[in-house]
Amino acid sequence: MKINSFTVDNLFVTSAVLAPILVLYSAGGVSLALIMIIVSSFLFAIKGNCSVRLLPYCFLLGVVVILHLLGASISVAFRTFQYELLLILPFLVYDKSGGLCSKCVSLYRNIALICSLFLIFQYLMLYIVHIYVPGILANSIFPPSESILREASRSLENGRRLSGVFSEPATFSVYVLGAMVLTLFDEFFERRKVFLAVYSLGILCSVSSTGILTMLAFYAIYVFFNISYIFEKINKNAKILFVLLIVAVCIILMLRSDAWLLFSYRIAGGQSASVRFEGYSFLQNFTLQDLVFGKGMDLESLDNKIYLSGFTRYVYYFGFLGLFLWVAMLLALLRNLSIEYKAFGLVFLILNLGESTMLGFAGYLFFLIICLKKNEKSYFAY
């Protein structure tokens, strides 16, 4: 069977968009998301309309192998390999045609919409019909790990919080928030209002404190910069008032549920913040050298009960020097991009304050979209 370049391009984009979902499943102990990214990247490099610069990555991979031969454990070497792949691969893609970013964003929006619709369906089934519809396929060909299933069941039991096809509500919200921000600030997207309504309702139904507070913050930012335009639209289009009424009714119904009582308790009691930001107090025990250069990628000595967000985990690995270089690199990428992509990068930064997005598959998707958009101006061409 002959595989054309169009099929390979779509496979590469699909693997990136579905990776945050497929990370739940494994084949032979290896994440299905990682397998798809490696395979699609290899095909993309030799067959795609675009190209992947493999030489820099092969050099870094050789460094990892040398470190392992010098005494690093296999778990540390493999973790380094995965993180380097997710961090570096977006920078190695050179889009000659300039259409790969629009493909990726379009698919991302649609998959986020489907995920939101499914979570809303979960919510209605649970609170109206009293039937729980699972979103994780426990008996699939590529079964999820026991830790993933325990995490999902813990969220369900702890206040009946739903997470759709993800392992927990916060992971769902992180994924959907990126698509929501890209849509919110894109005035030229035709189905913008419908998509935003579904995204917002999905995040509300997840009762994720991270997702809801971040969503409200970006809606506030949007209103602040578009206040005159919004009031003009309200005066001309009375249908907006009807939509607001429907949203208010939905909010009132959700506020009466057990999950929303738990959300209020976690926010008022500071429990959500104490869990998400406990890693910052953990950094107080670091020496000056560790704070500057980090401890490396060995987490075996770290207490599993301590949660590290994206920023704290990056400091643990690479120190504040590495974090500074990473943030500076992201800000350089966002320069001269349109407003929706700047907002997309901003939400990525904000989420890493309390979520471990930076070094995961969601971070890979965020970075890939930003790099592809920057690449349309031949930023990486040489």
Side-chain angles (χ1 to χ4, degrees):
M1 179 180 177
K2 185 178 180 180
I3 303 177
N4 57 39
S5 57
F6 178 77
T7 303
V8 172
D9 290 353
N10 289 334
L11 178 63
F12 179 76
V13 168
T14 303
S15 65
V17 173
L18 294 181
I21 301 174
L22 296 179
V23 68
L24 303 179
Y25 305 95
S26 61
V30 182
S31 168
L32 186 59
L34 184 61
I35 294 175
M36 282 196 63
I37 288 177
I38 292 175
V39 172
S40 63
S41 300
F42 176 76
L43 293 175
F44 190 63
I46 62 176
K47 194 69 178 178
N49 283 322
C50 311
S51 62
V52 178
R53 303 184 184 116
L54 294 179
L55 184 60
Y57 181 70
C58 290
F59 171 77
L60 292 172
L61 181 59
V63 173
V64 174
V65 174
I66 293 174
L67 288 175
H68 175 54
L69 294 176
L70 291 176
S73 66
I74 188 64
S75 62
V76 174
F78 183 78
R79 186 186 303 117
T80 306
F81 169 79
Q82 175 177 315
Y83 286 163
E84 281 191 348
L85 175 66
L86 300 181
L87 281 171
I88 298 172
L89 184 58
F91 297 96
L92 305 182
V93 177
Y94 175 40
D95 182 9
K96 299 176 183 177
S97 62
L100 204 60
C101 181
S102 59
K103 286 184 181 179
C104 191
V105 171
S106 177
L107 182 61
Y108 179 31
R109 280 172 171 160
N110 290 324
I111 295 298
L113 183 77
I114 294 172
C115 292
S116 300
L117 288 172
F118 179 77
L119 192 139
I120 295 170
F121 172 72
Q122 266 189 325
Y123 189 94
L124 295 175
M125 291 295 292
L126 182 62
Y127 286 97
I128 296 179
V129 189
H130 304 291
I131 296 176
Y132 172 66
V133 180
I136 300 178
L137 304 176
N139 299 319
S140 62
I141 301 176
F142 306 102
S145 64
E146 293 184 3
S147 61
I148 294 294
L149 295 175
R150 283 197 303 269
E151 189 176 7
S153 61
R154 190 184 306 118
S155 296
L156 182 62
E157 294 170 0
N158 188 14
R160 304 172 80 182
R161 300 166 66 229
L162 300 170
S163 53
V165 297
F166 296 84
S167 60
E168 62 172 345
T171 311
F172 163 83
S173 296
V174 167
Y175 187 83
V176 175
L177 275 168
M180 189 209 81
V181 169
L182 279 174
T183 306
L184 177 63
F185 290 89
D186 186 1
E187 302 286 349
F188 300 100
F189 185 54
E190 293 181 357
R191 296 168 291 173
R192 179 165 164 263
K193 294 180 181 178
V194 175
F195 276 58
L196 285 176
V198 175
Y199 292 154
S200 303
L201 189 56
I203 293 174
L204 288 174
C205 289
S206 72
V207 202
S208 166
S209 54
T210 301
I212 294 173
L213 294 177
T214 308
M215 178 184 69
L216 293 177
F218 273 86
Y219 272 122
I221 292 173
Y222 177 79
V223 170
F224 177 79
F225 286 105
N226 297 273
I227 188 69
S228 59
Y229 173 78
I230 291 175
F231 277 112
E232 180 183 354
K233 279 290 184 180
I234 290 178
N235 293 332
K236 291 184 177 181
N237 194 351
K239 289 188 293 185
I240 295 182
L241 296 177
F242 177 75
V243 173
L244 292 176
L245 179 62
I246 297 298
V247 172
V249 172
C250 293
I251 292 176
I252 292 173
L253 291 175
M254 285 186 291
L255 288 175
R256 296 175 60 88
S257 69
D258 296 335
W260 274 87
L261 292 176
L262 175 66
F263 168 77
S264 303
Y265 174 74
R266 294 178 72 214
I267 294 299
Q271 292 187 2
S272 178
S274 63
V275 173
R276 297 296 175 188
F277 297 101
E278 63 179 346
Y280 291 92
S281 59
F282 173 71
L283 296 179
Q284 296 176 0
N285 301 322
F286 279 30
T287 64
L288 179 61
Q289 178 179 337
D290 292 337
L291 286 174
V292 176
F293 299 105
K295 288 178 172 288
M297 305 188 81
D298 187 3
L299 283 175
E300 294 177 355
S301 60
L302 182 63
D303 189 352
N304 291 329
K305 295 181 180 179
I306 298 178
Y307 177 83
L308 294 180
S309 66
F311 284 159
T312 53
R313 185 175 293 269
Y314 218 82
V315 172
Y316 185 96
Y317 288 155
F318 312 115
F320 277 102
L321 178 61
L323 178 62
F324 171 78
L325 293 175
W326 182 89
V327 173
M329 176 180 60
L330 177 60
L331 294 178
L333 287 171
L334 296 175
R335 185 181 179 185
N336 298 328
L337 292 186
S338 55
I339 182 63
E340 64 267 26
Y341 290 94
K342 290 181 178 179
F344 185 63
L346 179 60
V347 74
F348 184 38
L349 282 174
I350 292 176
L351 287 173
N352 278 292
L353 290 171
E355 293 290 336
S356 56
T357 308
M358 187 183 298
L359 293 168
F361 289 94
Y364 166 72
L365 174 60
F366 276 62
F367 247 110
L368 181 64
I369 291 176
I370 292 173
C371 288
L372 288 176
K373 187 62 180 178
K374 193 74 173 182
N375 188 233
E376 289 181 352
K377 299 181 178 181
S378 300
Y379 185 81
F380 297 105
Y382 55 78

